[in-house]
Amino acid sequence: MSESPLILIRSLRKRHSPEFELSIESLQVDSGEVLCLLGPTGSGKSTLLRLLTGLERPDSGDVLFDNQNAFEAAPALTRRIITVSQRPHLLSNSVRTNVEYGLKVRGHRDRTARVDKALEQCRLTALAGRDCRTLSGGQMQLVALARALVVEPDLLLLDEPTANLDPSHVELVEQIIRESCTARQLTVILATHNLFQARRLADRVALILGGSLVETADTADFFDRPTDPVTSAFIEGRMIY
């Protein structure tokens, strides 16, 4: 692990109810890596992503982003961190307009080339003029991914991005993620409950259960040589939630 990680989490606490508290003692993410947050629905993965973007504030603890306090620097970080959710919210306009939107609000003048590149990267060139209201769920997710990638973020947060997609679009989204990481050394944090997806995409995997970080390891070690019996039970499907 790097001595200067892109993200460093220390003693993070966030209580949502008397029954649930996210509690992460220590976690770091290096620049250019893909970290998968693995766990069932309700385990705390989405809460952690919202804390990383500043949409929620912790009850206690620290999140450092590029050596800055993420909560004190939240407005400045919004241009460097982009989230793609499970159900993207798109403008009721064309695919091109949606992909261009982030560049427009950031004041970029020469947007055409970057939008064209993002459309091509996400296999959307032929759909550039289509109204987003006519797209399938898989196509809408590709638009959301293109809209995120076109602004060239330092950190891409993916919250169950393929949970509702057919297998062909799952494969396509995963391929685009891999290509983006290779091309730009993009840092990605992917929240998923899909063990197979985690194994395909991640450099490291962090298992979160009941708001607690159970184990973090390189992907091969996590799946083939887990050190915690809870991790083994989760991987082998012996755990009842």
Side-chain angles (χ1 to χ4, degrees):
M1 299 297 294
S2 170
E3 293 183 2
S4 299
L6 182 66
I7 294 174
L8 178 61
I9 295 172
R10 299 181 301 207
S11 303
L12 190 67
R13 302 284 187 278
K14 178 64 178 181
R15 180 172 292 278
H16 272 176
S17 70
E19 294 77 29
F20 179 82
E21 179 184 58
L22 180 70
S23 176
I24 306 292
E25 285 300 328
S26 178
L27 180 64
Q28 72 179 61
V29 184
D30 289 341
S31 180
E33 79 165 324
V34 178
L35 174 70
C36 177
L37 304 178
L38 186 62
T41 301
S43 60
K45 306 185 301 298
S46 296
T47 298
L48 180 55
L49 293 186
R50 288 194 296 271
L51 288 166
L52 291 174
T53 61
L55 292 175
E56 293 191 25
R57 297 186 68 87
D59 298 324
S60 60
D62 298 311
V63 176
L64 300 182
F65 181 89
D66 202 11
N67 294 317
Q68 303 177 73
N69 184 302
F71 309 108
E72 294 177 358
L77 295 182
T78 56
R79 293 175 178 265
R80 302 181 61 188
I81 303 174
I82 298 292
T83 301
V84 176
S85 63
Q86 181 177 336
R87 296 180 177 84
H89 298 284
L90 303 180
L91 302 174
S92 56
N93 214 316
S94 71
V95 169
R96 173 175 284 276
T97 299
N98 273 270
V99 174
E100 185 182 26
Y101 179 76
L103 294 175
K104 187 175 182 179
V105 298
R106 284 166 171 77
H108 290 277
R109 294 184 178 181
D110 185 16
R111 302 187 290 266
T112 301
R114 287 176 64 168
V115 172
D116 287 344
K117 180 181 177 181
L119 290 170
E120 181 180 3
Q121 182 180 9
C122 294
R123 287 64 164 176
L124 291 167
T125 302
L127 299 176
R130 282 270 298 273
D131 190 316
C132 284
R133 291 172 295 186
T134 69
L135 301 178
S136 69
Q139 291 168 337
M140 291 177 68
Q141 195 66 305
L142 292 175
V143 174
L145 190 56
R147 187 173 59 183
L149 294 173
V150 75
V151 299
E152 299 181 351
D154 294 319
L155 174 62
L156 180 63
L157 305 179
L158 301 170
D159 193 0
E160 301 280 5
T162 63
N164 299 316
L165 305 189
D166 60 83
S168 64
H169 278 100
V170 171
E171 182 179 7
L172 185 51
V173 167
E174 291 183 0
Q175 184 178 347
I176 293 167
I177 294 169
R178 284 192 293 267
E179 291 171 354
S180 300
C181 291
T182 300
R184 289 192 52 242
Q185 284 293 293
L186 178 65
T187 306
V188 175
I189 300 179
L190 167 69
T192 184
H193 60 266
N194 188 322
L195 279 76
F196 302 103
Q197 184 169 73
R199 191 158 200 165
R200 289 191 298 264
L201 287 177
D203 297 309
R204 288 190 304 132
V205 179
L207 177 62
I208 299 179
L209 293 172
S212 297
L213 184 61
V214 176
E215 182 170 353
T216 306
D218 291 344
T219 302
D221 289 334
F222 181 90
F223 285 103
D224 299 333
R225 295 171 291 277
T227 59
D228 195 300
V230 174
T231 304
S232 297
F234 181 82
I235 293 170
E236 295 166 10
R238 294 186 284 107
M239 185 173 293
I240 300 175
Y241 308 113

Coordinates of all heavy atoms in Angstrom, one line a residue, residues 15 18 77 82 93 119 188 230:
R15 N -24.0 6.8 12.4 CA -25.2 6.1 12.9 C -26.4 6.6 12.1 O -26.7 7.8 12.1 CB -25.4 6.2 14.4 CG -26.6 5.5 14.9 CD -26.6 5.5 16.4 NE -25.5 4.7 17.0 CZ -25.5 3.4 17.1 NH1 -26.6 2.7 16.7 NH2 -24.5 2.8 17.7
P18 N -30.9 3.5 15.6 CA -30.4 2.7 16.8 C -29.9 1.3 16.4 O -29.1 0.7 17.1 CB -31.6 2.6 17.7 CG -32.5 3.8 17.3 CD -32.3 4.0 15.8
L77 N -13.9 19.3 -4.0 CA -13.8 17.9 -4.4 C -14.9 17.5 -5.3 O -14.7 16.4 -6.0 CB -13.8 17.0 -3.2 CG -12.6 17.2 -2.2 CD1 -12.7 16.2 -1.1 CD2 -11.3 17.0 -2.9
I82 N -16.8 11.7 -9.0 CA -18.1 11.5 -9.7 C -18.7 10.2 -9.3 O -18.0 9.2 -9.2 CB -17.9 11.5 -11.2 CG1 -17.4 12.9 -11.7 CG2 -19.2 11.2 -11.9 CD1 -18.3 14.0 -11.5
N93 N -33.6 14.8 -22.3 CA -33.1 15.4 -23.5 C -32.3 14.3 -24.2 O -32.3 13.2 -23.9 CB -32.2 16.6 -23.1 CG -32.3 17.7 -24.2 OD1 -32.2 17.4 -25.4 ND2 -32.5 19.0 -23.7
L119 N -18.7 9.3 -25.9 CA -19.8 8.6 -26.6 C -19.2 7.3 -27.3 O -19.8 6.2 -27.2 CB -20.5 9.5 -27.7 CG -21.3 10.6 -27.1 CD1 -21.7 11.5 -28.3 CD2 -22.6 10.1 -26.4
V188 N -11.1 3.8 -8.8 CA -12.5 3.4 -8.8 C -12.8 2.7 -7.5 O -12.1 1.8 -7.0 CB -12.9 2.4 -10.0 CG1 -14.3 1.9 -9.9 CG2 -12.6 3.1 -11.3
V230 N -15.5 -15.4 8.8 CA -16.7 -14.7 8.3 C -16.6 -14.5 6.8 O -17.6 -14.7 6.1 CB -17.0 -13.4 9.1 CG1 -18.1 -12.6 8.4 CG2 -17.2 -13.6 10.5

